Amino acid sequence: MNSILSHLKKRNRHNVNTFRNAPLAEISGSLGDLGTLLPLMIALAIQGSIHLDATLVFSGAFNIISGVVFGIPLPVQPMKAIASAAIAHRGDPSMPGVAGAGLWVGAAIFVMSVTGLLRWAVKVVPIPVVKGIQLGAGLSLIIGAGSSQLQPLGWLLPILDNRLWALFAFLVLIATQRLQRFPYALAFFLLGIVLALIQVIRTHQDLPWFRIWHPEFVMPTFIGHPDASPIYMAIGQLPLTTLNSIIAVTALAADLLPDVPTPSVTSIGLSVALMNLTCTWFGAMPVCHGSGGLAAQYRFGARSGASVIFLGTVKIILGLFFGSTLISLLGQYPKSLLGIMVLAAGLELAKVGHSLNQGARDLWQESSDRSTGVSVITRKLRNPSEEERMERWTVMLMTTAGILAFKNDAVGFVAGMLCHWAFRLSDRFIRKVNQVAGASERDPLLR
């Protein structure tokens, strides 16, 4: 118990000090993942697949818990595969069906966490495959921002949400990329709220009003419509959650925040499991952590758990006192601004691929130095050969290609692992041939 309390004190001392030193950066960073959260949350709420108020309250509570426990800007994101299936089969996966899918995933991740399967996966999945998943996720965010949010916009119409607004947001993003303390996400979030409010008033839609949250129990459905069965939705989500929301997010946290202790895959897995084993019973959206959200929040200034604690507090207040009355306002939020925020997040996530052959975790080796008479363990960076560099680069790109070509993390993972194993089998074969050749040279009878 004392060790747990000591751990929490250290994390929250870091949170408090970081927030005091750069409050605007932490607040701005907390809003970095809105480009992923808002479109899916609003679409599911409008079609009745989730309760908006319950989603805000529970995801806000999970934001606060994550910030306190982990001390890093760990996001709470929608489960994209489940959300996409629910939106694509509008009306078939009802609220109980979406809840059932979230429970299936939560139960599976819980079993994998407590049995050690997640720790085993980290050991057997090579770093080039992990980097490929991160690169693929980043490029997928960029492609999605262009195809679903920016490309459908016109140049001049609608007046409050067009490509000129997107161009303006992009130019400001480029101009301020070296100004780490500039609160880009905060400034453009407030601008987007103003534009959305103007649009709501112009179209005579309902403005947000005071409404106390009354929790509603939802009985999940575990086997539903054949085209959108909760268990099939969960099977589609499970590889994405395991690879991108647990394994990749821990690797990214180590890369982006080396001065902060990196959460273990088991702790992240238990967090994902417990979130979905609780919130879905009340119609809240199935959620997970994600490397894209972490990259987004880091890109816009977040460096500690204080950022997501702030975001969670705002979410809880909105969910408790406004709830579903926010749908009209959030539904009018400009896609032009959201699209640029998603694009920036994708770029930040894709950039981690550059360290594959220059400082990746598997290139660091421990060695013992006894030159002073005392054994000292030091860590040294191994410099891979040109051939090994190319092999690692090929595995990473094969993983990324599978993700982008089939729009499926599992396919990319399998492609990357097959490529990795092919190189290892080739190495074994070459060594065997060399051994036989060496033996034949030494023994004339074998010639």
Side-chain angles (χ1 to χ4, degrees), residues 50-241:
I50 62 169
H51 288 313
L52 180 61
D53 45 12
T55 297
L56 289 170
V57 171
F58 277 100
S59 66
F62 298 143
N63 276 134
I64 293 174
I65 294 171
S66 298
V68 170
V69 173
F70 298 115
I72 61 174
L74 194 65
V76 175
Q77 295 183 311
M79 285 193 172
K80 297 181 185 65
I82 292 177
S84 299
I87 294 169
H89 299 88
R90 188 183 183 93
D92 291 335
S94 59
M95 191 178 298
V98 171
L103 283 170
W104 276 118
V105 176
I109 295 297
F110 181 80
V111 171
M112 294 173 68
S113 299
V114 298
T115 58
L117 281 175
L118 287 178
R119 292 194 302 274
W120 173 82
V122 171
K123 293 179 181 178
V124 299
V125 178
I127 291 298
V129 173
V130 176
K131 293 284 187 183
I133 293 170
Q134 294 172 328
L135 178 58
L139 295 178
S140 296
L141 285 175
I142 295 171
I143 294 171
S147 61
S148 64
Q149 294 180 322
L150 299 178
Q151 192 172 340
L153 298 174
W155 279 105
L156 298 176
L157 296 176
I159 295 174
L160 300 179
D161 188 17
N162 54 51
R163 293 186 183 182
L164 291 180
W165 283 108
L167 180 61
F168 169 67
F170 179 74
L171 292 176
V172 175
L173 177 70
I174 296 299
T176 61
Q177 59 184 338
R178 290 186 180 274
L179 304 177
Q180 296 296 325
R181 290 182 176 270
F182 178 74
Y184 178 91
L186 176 60
F188 277 88
F189 172 73
L190 295 177
L191 174 61
I193 288 293
V194 171
L195 296 177
L197 188 60
I198 294 173
Q199 183 64 15
V200 168
I201 295 173
R202 284 183 58 203
T203 55
H204 306 289
Q205 298 182 52
D206 294 331
L207 290 169
W209 67 89
F210 188 77
R211 179 180 175 183
I212 297 293
W213 176 49
H214 298 286
E216 297 180 34
F217 180 79
V218 174
M219 177 58 68
T221 299
F222 296 101
I223 299 176
H225 193 281
D227 292 333
S229 172
I231 191 168
Y232 291 147
M233 294 165 68
I235 291 172
Q237 177 66 47
L238 189 58
L240 181 61
T241 296

Side-chain angles (χ1 to χ4, degrees), residues 124-126 128-130 132 356 387-402 410-428:
V124 299
V125 178
V129 173
V130 176
L356 175 66
E387 181 181 6
E388 185 183 357
R389 287 172 179 267
M390 184 55 65
E391 288 181 2
R392 290 165 62 86
W393 188 254
T394 302
V395 172
M396 183 181 75
L397 290 183
M398 182 65 72
T399 305
T400 301
V411 173
F413 169 74
V414 171
M417 291 299 295
L418 289 175
C419 185
H420 171 77
W421 288 332
F423 280 126
R424 300 291 72 78
L425 288 174
S426 177
D427 290 341
R428 286 188 179 184

Side-chain angles (χ1 to χ4, degrees), residues 353-360 363-364 381-384 389 392:
H354 86 281
S355 65
L356 175 66
N357 293 319
Q358 299 175 354
L363 296 180
W364 287 92
L381 181 63
R382 179 172 65 85
N383 188 26
R389 287 172 179 267
R392 290 165 62 86

